[in-house]
Amino acid sequence: MKRPLLHQIVHGTCVDLSSEGKGVLRHGKDVVFVDNMFPGEEGDIEVLFAKGDFYFGKIKKLCKISKNRVEPRCKICSSCGGCEFQQLAYSAQLQWKTSKVKEQFRKIAKMDLEVLPTLGMEEPYFYRNKIQMPFGVDQKGNVYCGFYKRNTHVIVPVERCYIEDERAEHILSVLKKLMKAHRVAPYDEDSRKGVLRHALIRTSYYQKQIMLVLVTNVDSFPGRNNFVKAIVSSCPEITTVVQNINTRATNVILGERERVLYGKGYIEDSLCGVQFKISAKSFYQTNPVMTELLYSKAMEAAELKEDDVVFDAYSGIGTIGLIASRSVRNVLSVELVKEAVVDGKENAKRNGIDNFFMYCDDASSFMVRMAEENRHVDVLFMDPPRKGSDERFLKALLKLKPSRVVYVSCDPSTLARDIAYIKDTYEVKSVQPVDMFPHTTHVETVVTLRLR
Ligand code: SAH
């Protein structure tokens, strides 16, 4: 295949933002996707590579600048790979998210739906309660930590991240110094040598609790106890330290085995008035402020009644189901990850909730059984991972026919695909995007459905 534009400089105007948030530039019949270029902007683009029918490039020089381009707070946002949108005004980010959801429904589900304006944050910075960073060491022996540059395994050193809980910054800077002083070597992916692979920090929003997880390549290392003592004495805000052991050559951050080195081994936080115990491995939404808004929108959408039987599928540690349990007769909940189910059951106990029943199973298999047994369900909450639900689940849903369905999604394309499957039986009442991840291209959506 001929690639006449490859490695050329092309001049053009950005006409749109793609569903991945890249600027779209047309050059004759060809399309070039450009990072950090916004509609209306004109300039010279260096074409870097081609994939399928498309080219990908970066800005060489801009001669016309969008009114929506802003000075990013973070100076390394172009290289880090975490925030694609720090240079786009927040109001324009929200507008793009709304139109992305609308577009996915139009393209994939062939549905022309009204999409409510994306709900955004008042202060869209320092929102993440979960921080995970790999470490490296420079030629002078100084330890650094940061993020992997997009699509690579090169660490871009980060001193200050503008989307993470600010409390992590001090802990990470102490950790870097103490690693050098205590000779705890960062793990090197190529040689597979070294000790510390990642630091994972989880912060509680409502309680003064912070968990530090040291992900190590080895079971034990010399001076571990003194190292942990030094960390806790320099950072008294840390309430628990857990060692997670991951000896595999893998991109997955956490390993199977864990050991509590200090404190209780978990932190507690609350959402919508319910207390949650969160351990290192459990899924817990990463933006606490917007999670409360997301869940309150989901509850509103469900119009819960005292007598309702509720089913919470893909339930994590039971957050949505436990919040709903206070307003209804019974909640059934299903989740695949064992540890999350253990947390969920304990969370019910801690909150004195006795009408919440949690099962560890594949959501589709569970749903199929429920349909076969002709179980009665009034409300279904479903909150699947990015790949969405599947045909088995949706087919069983059409048999079970709860009168109300609330679909919480973190990927508009799989959301549209799944809704298309049930649209003849369920009417879409509202589509509400919520900005859980400011400055990134991710968008969360709550869809309210009613049996026709
Ligand atoms: N509702 C929860 C979790 C949503 S994330 C919350 O808001 O916190 C999606 C969850 O689905 C994860 O906990 C994941 O472990 C779980 N999951 C993924 N595939 C699943 C499957 N096939 N069956 C059941 N649960 C699954």
Side-chain angles (χ1 to χ4, degrees):
M1 193 176 187
K2 270 195 186 159
R3 306 278 196 191
L5 297 189
L6 206 54
H7 308 305
Q8 302 293 308
I9 305 285
V10 297
H11 185 91
T13 299
C14 172
V15 290
D16 203 357
L17 274 177
S18 72
S19 58
E20 272 84 47
K22 291 182 192 296
V24 179
L25 197 133
R26 289 187 201 287
H27 193 267
K29 276 192 190 145
D30 292 312
V31 174
V32 187
F33 291 113
V34 189
D35 284 336
N36 287 313
M37 191 175 191
F38 307 124
E41 294 193 323
E42 185 187 334
D44 294 338
I45 304 304
E46 183 181 352
V47 180
L48 298 173
F49 63 96
K51 222 168 154 185
D53 290 339
F54 304 110
Y55 291 99
F56 293 80
K58 68 170 189 189
I59 297 173
K60 257 316 227 193
K61 198 174 100 197
L62 277 183
C63 57
K64 206 165 157 198
I65 289 174
S66 163
K67 63 178 189 336
N68 286 326
R69 179 176 287 275
V70 293
E71 190 60 39
R73 285 207 197 178
C74 176
K75 296 299 168 234
I76 57 157
C77 67
S78 308
S79 54
C80 143
C83 300
E84 300 93 336
F85 274 167
Q86 276 226 8
Q87 297 175 68
L88 183 63
Y90 189 50
S91 58
Q93 294 180 26
L94 296 176
Q95 267 172 24
W96 175 80
K97 290 186 184 189
T98 311
S99 59
K100 174 172 169 171
V101 174
K102 193 169 169 62
E103 186 63 13
Q104 297 295 315
F105 271 109
R106 201 182 55 75
K107 262 200 204 150
I108 297 168
K110 314 280 176 245
M111 293 169 86
D112 186 20
L113 293 174
E114 186 200 341
V115 175
L116 293 164
T118 304
L119 298 168
M121 292 188 83
E122 245 167 65
E123 176 57 28
Y125 293 96
F126 305 114
Y127 58 84
R128 278 186 68 92
N129 60 9
K130 180 180 167 190
I131 293 101
Q132 40 199 20
M133 287 201 187
F135 291 84
V137 60
D138 67 15
Q139 279 165 350
K140 288 186 194 146
N142 292 318
V143 176
Y144 57 85
C145 64
F147 294 114
Y148 291 120
K149 193 173 173 176
R150 202 169 303 162
N151 303 327
T152 74
H153 266 231
V154 178
I155 299 172
V156 180
V158 174
E159 293 292 329
R160 165 144 247 234
C161 171
Y162 288 82
I163 62 169
E164 297 182 342
D165 189 325
E166 277 177 296
R167 291 175 290 178
E169 197 177 311
H170 172 240
I171 297 172
L172 288 166
S173 78
V174 166
L175 210 52
K176 285 185 283 190
K177 285 189 198 123
L178 290 177
M179 281 171 71
K180 188 176 177 188
H182 288 248
R183 296 175 193 275
V184 177
Y187 172 68
D188 178 69
E189 278 189 328
D190 296 326
S191 65
R192 302 200 53 211
K193 293 217 162 67
V195 173
L196 197 64
R197 293 173 74 119
H198 275 86
L200 186 153
I201 298 168
R202 280 192 130 155
T203 59
S204 167
Y205 185 72
Y206 283 105
Q207 261 137 71
K208 286 202 169 117
Q209 298 184 19
I210 298 181
M211 178 196 309
L212 169 66
V213 184
L214 301 169
V215 186
T216 61
N217 181 44
V218 286
D219 193 29
S220 75
F221 54 92
R224 187 184 65 196
N225 291 353
N226 286 339
F227 179 55
V228 172
K229 259 190 210 150
I231 296 172
V232 182
S233 89
S234 301
C235 306
E237 66 275 26
I238 296 177
T239 50
T240 185
V241 180
V242 174
Q243 181 187 1
N244 175 286
I245 301 142
N246 187 357
T247 55
R248 290 170 301 168
T250 165
N251 286 343
V252 179
I253 293 179
L254 293 178
E256 282 295 313
R257 274 186 306 136
E258 262 178 24
R259 179 181 295 139
V260 179
L261 301 179
Y262 172 76
K264 294 190 286 197
Y266 58 87
I267 55 168
E268 290 146 316
D269 205 353
S270 50
L271 286 168
C272 304
V274 179
Q275 297 261 337
F276 294 100
K277 169 193 165 200
I278 305 142
S279 37
K281 282 194 216 152
S282 299
F283 177 90
Y284 191 67
Q285 298 279 1
T286 52
N287 181 336
V289 173
M290 295 311 272
T291 301
E292 288 203 309
L293 184 64
L294 177 80
Y295 289 168
S296 67
K297 287 287 159 197
M299 295 303 138
E300 244 173 74
E303 292 179 8
L304 298 174
K305 296 181 189 64
E306 236 174 88
D307 253 356
D308 280 342
V309 175
V310 170
F311 179 35
D312 176 18
Y314 310 92
S315 64
I317 56 170
T319 41
I320 293 178
L322 286 165
I323 292 166
S325 70
R326 297 172 302 183
S327 321
V328 301
R329 179 144 58 107
N330 270 337
V331 178
L332 302 175
S333 126
V334 66
E335 160 66 40
L336 196 58
V337 173
K338 228 173 34 237
E339 287 87 354
V341 176
V342 171
D343 280 355
K345 286 184 175 170
E346 193 174 326
N347 285 329
K349 255 195 224 144
R350 285 168 165 248
N351 288 280
I353 294 170
D354 56 8
N355 61 342
F356 174 85
F357 306 94
M358 194 165 189
Y359 301 90
C360 185
D361 201 349
D362 165 59
S364 304
S365 309
F366 194 83
M367 192 73 173
V368 168
R369 271 204 312 281
M370 299 252 291
E372 279 167 5
E373 290 166 14
N374 271 324
R375 297 277 282 273
H376 175 81
V377 171
D378 298 290
V379 178
L380 166 71
F381 288 104
M382 53 188 289
D383 185 6
R386 265 189 212 148
K387 67 174 188 201
S389 189
D390 61 23
E391 225 175 299
R392 278 172 70 222
F393 185 97
L394 296 168
K395 230 183 208 164
L397 161 62
L398 294 178
K399 220 174 140 204
L400 206 63
K401 285 200 171 82
S403 64
R404 287 153 279 160
V405 175
V406 180
Y407 192 139
V408 179
S409 151
C410 54
D411 185 328
S413 61
T414 55
L415 169 71
R417 179 201 66 202
D418 291 349
I419 299 287
Y421 196 87
I422 57 172
K423 70 179 176 185
D424 293 339
T425 312
Y426 281 92
E427 184 188 358
V428 175
K429 286 291 188 188
S430 71
V431 182
Q432 175 67 74
V434 178
D435 192 20
M436 300 280 278
F437 313 103
H439 308 297
T440 76
T441 53
H442 296 292
V443 53
E444 194 89 9
T445 313
V446 181
V447 178
T448 311
L449 299 128
R450 290 287 178 274
L451 196 60
R452 287 183 189 276

